[in-house]
Amino acid sequence: MDLSNTTHDANVQKMYEGIHLLEINEIDQSYQCFQDLLQQGYESPVIYYYLSKIQAQRNHFEESIGFINKAIEINSSTPEFYLAKSIINMNMGSLNESLHNAKLALSLNPEFTDAQTQINTLNQLLNPLANIAQEINALNNLALNLQGQNKHSEAENLFSKVLELDSGNFIALYSLGMSNIHQNDPIDAIRYFEQLQAKFPNHELVLFALGTCYKNIGQYKKALEYYDLNITLNPTYSNSYHNKAAIQQQLNQHKDALLTLIQAASAVPDDYQSLEGQGILLSQYKEYAKAAEVFKNLYDRNPSYPYVQGNLLNARLHNCDWSDFEQLTLEITKGIHDGLPVTNPLTLMTFCTKADTTLSCARNFGLHKYPPSSITLYNGESYNHVKKKIAFISGDFREHPVGYLLIGVMESFDKDLYEITGIFTGTPDKSIIWQRYCCAFDNFLNCATKTDLEIAQVIRSLEIDYLIDLSGYTADTRLSVLSYRPAPVQMTYLGFPGTLGLPYVDYVIGDRFTIPESLFKSYSEKPLQLNFNYLPRDTSVTPSEKAYTRNDFSLPNEGFVFCCFNHLYKITPTIFKLWMRLLHEIEGSVLWLMQQSNPESKENILRTASKLGIDPSRIVFTNRLPDIRDHLKRFSLADLFLDTFPYNGHTTCSDALFSGLPVVTLYDETFASRVCYSLLNGLGLEILASKSEEEYFAKAKFLSTNSKELKDIKNKLSSTLGINLWPIDAKEYSSSLASLIVSQS
C-alpha cells in the first residue's frame, strides 16, 4: 500500500472540509481545520487563501495580509489571490496598493469583471473630485438637452442640483439666467448673471447677458454701461455693438446708433449684421442712396445674407433707381420659392403679381421673424360677455394713412353692442386724428413702452374676444403680441394688404374683389369678405374751399395733366415706361408726381424720362400739404390719375376718387394690386380697371384724347359721391365690420 498517496488524499479531504465549514459560517472550526493541516506539514496556496479570507472576516487584516502573501509566494499566477489582497489593502486604507493589486488581477485575466469593479470603486475613492465633476457634467448635459426642448422647469431643477455640488458652476448659473430670459423673467436672470459676474468679472458672455437683461427692462443707462465695458474689454464682440445701437435708436440717438454700427463694422470686417443695421437705419431716415450703397456692399460680400436682396431693392425703389431691377426681382422670386429669406413681404408687393408667391414669402418671413411663442395666454376659457370685446392694435392711431382711413369707423361702433379697445403702440403726435382716437374707443391704452408679452398679458387680462392687428408687416409692427395667443380669435385687417402666413392669425378681412374665392388658397388665414369695398373712409374730411389754380403748383394752364400721388417707391420701370409712352403720344401733356424727401428720387425720375425721350420739364413735382383738405382740393387740377402696379395706391386712390378724379388702374392676383379695383367697383367705375398693361395704356390714352367720355366718367363719379359722399358711410361700415368679426369663433 502507498501510504504517501493515502496521506495526500486525506489532507485534500480535510482541506475541502475546511472550505465547507467556512461556507456554512463555522468560521472557528474552519480556521482550526486549516491550521491543523499546516501543523501536519501540508502547505497549499488554497489553504493560505482561505485563512486570509477568514482573518479578513474577523477584521484581523495584518494576519490576513500575511496569509495572502504566502499564497502568492506559492502561486503568483492566480488573479483571485491579487484581488483578495486588493480588498484587504482597501480595508487597511492602503488604496494605492489596493489599486495596484486589482490591476495585477485584471492583467492576469482581462475578463475578470470583479477585478474591474474593484478598480472602478478604487478610482472613485481615490478621485472624489473627478467623480463629482463627472456627475456635474452629466447633470449639465441632461439639463441643457431639456432646455433645448423648452422644458425649462425640468432643466432648472437639474441646474439647481449642479449648484448644490458647485455653487459657482458657470454653465448652470449662465443657463439658469438664459432660461429666465427665455421665460421673460429678466429680474431673476439678472440675479444669476450677477453671481457669475462676481466670480468672472470680465467674462464677455456675462457682461453681454447683463446688458441684455437691463435693456429688456428698460434700464438703458445700465445696459449701455455693460455693453460699453464689454466693447472696451473685447472690441470684436459684435453683439454688444448691435444691442447698443438698438438702445440708441430707442432713445432717438440715431446718429450715435449709426456711428456705433460703423464702429462695429470697422472692428469686425465680417460683421454683416452691422452693415445691415446701417442700411436699415439710413433707410428709416430716408437716406436711400446711402442705404443702397451699404446694401450693395453687403450683397457683393455676402449675397446669401438674409434679406439683403430685398433690402437693396427697397432702397433703390425709394430712390427710383431701377438698376438691375429685373435681375434682382428674378433672384428674389426664385429665392422665395426655394424657401430662402430674401425679402420682406412689403417689398415684394412692389413687383410681385402672383398670390402664391406672396404666401410663400409671408410664411418664410413670418415664421423667421415672428415665430409662435412657447407661451400661450388664452387656453380655451369661456368668457360669455354680454357685450363682445373687440380690440384693435396699431401704432398708426395718428396722422397716418391707416389712422386717416379708420377713424370714422372707430367713432361709429355701436357701444351698446360692443366694447371697443384701442391698443396704441406708436408715438403720440397730438394731432387732431390722434385726439379723436383717444375719444373713439371705450378703452384707449398707450402701450408703446410695454414689451410684446406685457401687451399680450394686458389683452388677456381684459378678456378680449377678438383681437385685430392693423399693421401686419409694416413699420413698427407688434405682431409678436399675437404670437402669445392672448385672444381666442385673432385677425389682420387694413394696414397690410395681404396674407401674413402666420399660424396664430386666424382671419384676414377683405372683400370679394381684393380676395376672390378663387384666391382663397393663397391665404394662410381664412378670408372674410365684406359686402362692399373693404377700404373705409372718413367722409367728415372733405376738400377745402380754396380756389387753387394750376399756376399754384407749376402746372401748365393748357394741356392734359396725368397725376400720380402714390409713393414713388411703388413706381416700377415697366409702369414708368407706359407713362412715358402716354406723354410721348399726348402732346402737351404732363405727369404730376409727389415729391419725396430724398432729392435723388426726383433726379433719377427726370434722368430716366430724358433717356426715354421725354423732356424732364414735362414731369412736375409737388410737395405735401400740411392740411389734408387742401391736399384733397388740388386733385381737381388734374385730369386723370394713373395708378401704380402691382402695388396700387390705396389711401391715395381713395383720395383721388373722393375728390372727383377718375383713376385708371391695373390689377392681378395679389391683394395689393386689387385695392383700387375694389374701390372702382364700389363706385360703379369698374370700366377703369384693366387686366393687362396694354389695356391700361389704351384706357388712359383713350380718356386723355376723348374729353366727352372722360367728362361722362367724372359726372358719374360726382353723381355717386353726391348721394352719400361715399358708397357706404362709417356707421354702416362699422356695423357690418363688427358683425363680420363677431360671427367668427
Side-chain angles (χ1 to χ4, degrees):
M1 172 179 266
D2 187 347
L3 294 177
S4 62
N5 285 339
T6 302
T7 303
H8 175 76
D9 290 343
N11 288 336
V12 170
Q13 182 63 36
K14 190 172 183 67
M15 184 173 66
Y16 282 122
E17 181 183 344
I19 294 171
H20 174 69
L21 288 168
L22 181 60
E23 288 175 348
I24 63 175
N25 209 31
E26 294 291 344
I27 296 175
D28 291 341
Q29 294 181 44
S30 174
Y31 181 82
Q32 189 59 51
C33 185
F34 289 129
Q35 284 289 0
D36 289 345
L37 284 169
L38 290 176
Q39 288 174 6
Q40 294 170 15
Y42 182 76
E43 277 193 314
S44 166
V46 175
I47 293 173
Y48 287 117
Y49 171 78
Y50 279 104
L51 283 170
S52 173
K53 191 171 184 178
I54 291 170
Q55 292 302 80
Q57 289 184 23
R58 291 171 169 175
N59 292 324
H60 298 162
F61 297 116
E62 291 292 343
E63 293 180 36
S64 177
I65 200 74
F67 285 129
I68 199 64
N69 283 335
K70 280 283 189 181
I72 291 171
E73 284 178 15
I74 298 171
N75 186 347
S76 61
S77 62
T78 302
E80 286 80 4
F81 294 170
Y82 291 99
L83 178 60
K85 186 174 181 180
S86 172
I87 293 170
I88 298 165
N89 293 146
M90 184 173 70
N91 283 297
M92 295 175 71
S94 301
L95 299 182
N96 288 320
E97 189 175 353
S98 176
L99 181 62
H100 171 73
N101 284 306
K103 288 180 178 179
L104 284 175
L106 189 65
S107 69
L108 291 170
N109 180 7
E111 296 181 2
F112 193 7
T113 56
D114 287 348
Q116 183 63 64
T117 300
Q118 174 72 352
I119 290 170
N120 294 341
T121 301
L122 288 163
N123 280 330
Q124 291 180 1
L125 292 171
L126 285 166
N127 300 289
L129 293 179
N131 185 46
I132 291 172
Q134 186 177 8
E135 183 179 357
I136 287 173
N137 187 53
L139 287 170
N140 273 334
N141 287 336
L142 181 57
L144 289 169
N145 184 49
L146 290 168
Q147 193 176 51
Q149 301 174 48
N150 289 323
K151 296 179 179 179
H152 293 284
S153 179
E154 297 172 51
E156 286 174 0
N157 288 336
L158 293 179
F159 286 132
S160 296
K161 289 182 179 179
V162 170
L163 294 180
E164 290 175 5
L165 298 170
D166 176 10
S167 61
N169 185 267
F170 186 94
I171 292 174
L173 286 171
Y174 185 80
S175 298
L176 283 166
M178 295 304 295
S179 182
N180 278 278
I181 287 179
H182 188 81
Q183 296 176 89
N184 294 286
D185 188 356
I187 302 300
D188 271 355
I190 287 171
R191 179 168 57 86
Y192 289 114
F193 292 133
E194 284 181 340
Q195 289 182 57
L196 274 176
Q197 192 194 16
K199 190 172 182 180
F200 306 96
N202 296 327
H203 198 292
E204 59 189 26
L205 287 177
V206 177
L207 294 174
F208 179 76
L210 281 166
T212 302
C213 288
Y214 282 111
K215 172 179 173 285
N216 291 345
I217 61 175
Q219 292 192 28
Y220 296 135
K221 182 178 178 181
K222 198 154 188 178
L224 288 172
E225 289 175 0
Y226 280 110
Y227 291 139
D228 283 336
L229 177 58
N230 211 7
I231 290 169
T232 300
L233 293 169
N234 184 0
T236 63
Y237 198 85
S238 298
N239 286 338
S240 286
Y241 293 103
H242 303 159
N243 282 19
K244 178 182 177 180
I247 290 175
Q248 289 169 326
Q249 290 184 67
Q250 187 74 22
L251 297 173
N252 293 318
Q253 299 169 0
H254 307 296
K255 182 179 178 181
D256 290 338
L258 183 60
L259 291 173
T260 296
L261 293 172
I262 292 172
Q263 181 187 1
S266 175
V268 187
D270 291 337
D271 182 5
Y272 301 127
Q273 187 175 339
S274 289
L275 282 177
E276 178 192 36
Q278 291 176 48
I280 291 172
L281 194 59
L282 288 165
S283 295
Q284 288 175 350
Y285 293 94
K286 308 188 187 308
E287 295 283 352
Y288 295 112
K290 293 178 181 177
E293 289 179 9
V294 172
F295 287 130
K296 181 62 166 65
N297 180 22
L298 177 55
Y299 176 76
D300 289 341
R301 293 170 62 182
N302 187 357
S304 62
Y305 189 82
Y307 308 110
V308 64
Q309 297 99 323
N311 284 330
L312 174 57
L313 179 64
N314 180 64
R316 284 180 171 173
L317 286 174
H318 276 84
N319 217 33
C320 298
D321 173 4
W322 301 315
S323 304
D324 304 321
F325 178 83
E326 185 174 348
Q327 175 192 334
L328 265 178
T329 54
L330 286 173
E331 186 177 334
I332 289 170
T333 302
K334 181 180 184 304
I336 289 169
H337 289 292
D338 288 343
L340 301 175
V342 288
T343 188
N344 67 62
L346 198 60
T347 298
L348 182 71
M349 288 179 184
T350 59
F351 70 87
C352 178
T353 64
K354 300 305 175 186
D356 63 332
T357 303
T358 63
L359 175 59
S360 296
C361 180
R363 281 178 170 158
N364 294 349
F365 182 80
L367 293 177
H368 180 208
K369 296 289 188 177
Y370 306 98
S373 171
S374 60
I375 300 172
T376 303
L377 298 180
Y378 175 78
N379 293 288
E381 297 85 354
S382 179
Y383 291 157
N384 298 318
H385 300 132
V386 175
K387 292 198 295 184
K388 291 297 183 181
K389 296 184 176 185
I390 305 173
F392 294 86
I393 179 170
S394 176
D396 300 327
F397 298 137
R398 54 186 175 86
E399 285 283 358
H400 183 276
V402 170
Y404 170 57
L405 291 171
L406 198 59
I407 182 60
V409 174
M410 291 296 104
E411 291 172 331
S412 301
F413 269 99
D414 188 339
K415 302 300 177 63
D416 292 330
L417 296 177
Y418 312 106
E419 180 181 315
I420 310 300
T421 298
I423 299 166
F424 183 50
T425 58
T427 302
D429 60 5
K430 307 301 182 181
S431 63
I432 292 175
I433 286 184
W434 181 81
Q435 294 174 43
R436 288 173 65 185
Y437 273 110
C438 290
C439 299
F441 295 104
D442 294 292
N443 311 295
F444 186 76
L445 309 177
N446 192 345
C447 295
T449 60
K450 293 185 180 296
T451 66
D452 294 332
L453 177 58
E454 287 171 339
I455 296 173
Q457 289 169 334
V458 168
I459 293 168
R460 176 62 184 84
S461 69
L462 292 173
E463 295 190 351
I464 297 299
D465 295 298
Y466 302 91
L467 177 60
I468 321 296
D469 167 69
L470 297 173
S471 297
Y473 295 129
T474 61
D476 301 322
T477 184
R478 299 298 288 272
L479 264 177
S480 291
V481 170
L482 279 69
S483 74
Y484 296 104
R485 178 58 75 170
V489 179
Q490 301 185 158
M491 303 182 178
T492 181
Y493 165 60
L494 192 61
F496 181 82
T499 183
L500 300 179
L502 295 171
Y504 49 78
V505 180
D506 309 306
Y507 301 94
V508 56
I509 298 174
D511 59 40
R512 62 191 178 93
F513 300 106
T514 52
I515 316 178
E517 287 190 23
S518 61
L519 294 175
F520 276 15
K521 64 182 182 299
S522 297
Y523 289 78
S524 63
E525 310 87 353
K526 179 180 178 181
L528 303 178
Q529 295 176 325
L530 291 161
N531 294 324
F532 39 81
N533 55 275
Y534 104 108
L535 202 70
R537 183 163 194 92
D538 177 25
T539 56
S540 68
V541 180
T542 58
S544 71
E545 298 298 323
K546 288 188 177 179
Y548 284 130
T549 67
R550 287 189 170 187
N551 285 333
D552 293 326
F553 297 96
S554 302
L555 295 169
N557 290 324
E558 302 294 330
F560 198 90
V561 176
F562 293 104
C563 170
C564 182
F565 287 166
N566 293 351
H567 285 291
L568 296 184
Y569 73 83
K570 294 184 178 182
I571 302 175
T572 63
T574 300
I575 209 74
F576 190 73
K577 287 178 182 177
L578 289 178
W579 292 353
M580 295 304 99
R581 279 178 60 193
L582 284 170
L583 293 187
H584 179 74
E585 297 198 19
I586 310 302
E587 187 177 350
S589 63
V590 297
L591 176 62
W592 194 17
L593 299 177
M594 184 64 68
Q595 173 72 57
Q596 306 297 303
S597 59
N598 53 314
E600 295 88 357
S601 58
K602 177 180 178 180
E603 293 169 7
N604 286 329
I605 285 281
L606 297 178
R607 186 180 300 112
T608 305
S610 181
K611 288 180 180 179
L612 294 172
I614 299 299
D615 186 341
S617 67
R618 294 178 65 188
I619 300 180
V620 181
F621 287 87
T622 189
N623 293 316
R624 299 193 177 278
L625 297 176
D627 191 331
I628 184 64
R629 297 174 186 271
D630 293 340
H631 170 65
L632 295 175
K633 180 63 178 180
R634 66 176 163 182
F635 277 104
S636 63
L637 301 176
D639 296 301
L640 183 65
F641 192 101
L642 300 175
D643 197 10
T644 48
F645 175 82
Y647 196 168
N648 291 168
H650 298 174
T651 305
T652 309
C653 284
S654 175
D655 286 346
L657 292 165
F658 184 67
S659 302
L661 180 63
V663 178
V664 173
T665 194
L666 175 59
Y667 68 94
D668 206 318
E669 294 182 357
T670 61
F671 195 125
S673 74
R674 303 176 69 88
V675 173
C676 190
Y677 171 53
S678 167
L679 288 168
L680 291 171
N681 274 276
L683 291 163
L685 294 174
E686 56 273 18
I687 193 173
L688 296 178
S690 307
K691 294 183 179 180
S692 70
E693 293 169 5
E694 285 306 314
E695 183 184 0
Y696 171 92
F697 175 81
K699 286 182 178 181
K701 181 181 176 182
F702 177 80
L703 291 174
S704 63
T705 54
N706 291 272
S707 58
K708 181 181 181 302
E709 283 75 5
L710 180 59
K711 184 178 180 180
D712 288 345
I713 287 176
K714 286 186 176 182
N715 287 338
K716 183 176 182 180
L717 178 58
S718 178
S719 176
T720 301
L721 295 173
I723 298 172
N724 291 316
L725 286 181
W726 200 242
I728 184 169
D729 64 23
K731 187 171 184 179
E732 183 182 354
Y733 189 107
S734 66
S735 176
S736 297
L737 176 64
S739 296
L740 185 67
I741 290 171
V742 302
S743 66
Q744 311 307 315
S745 60

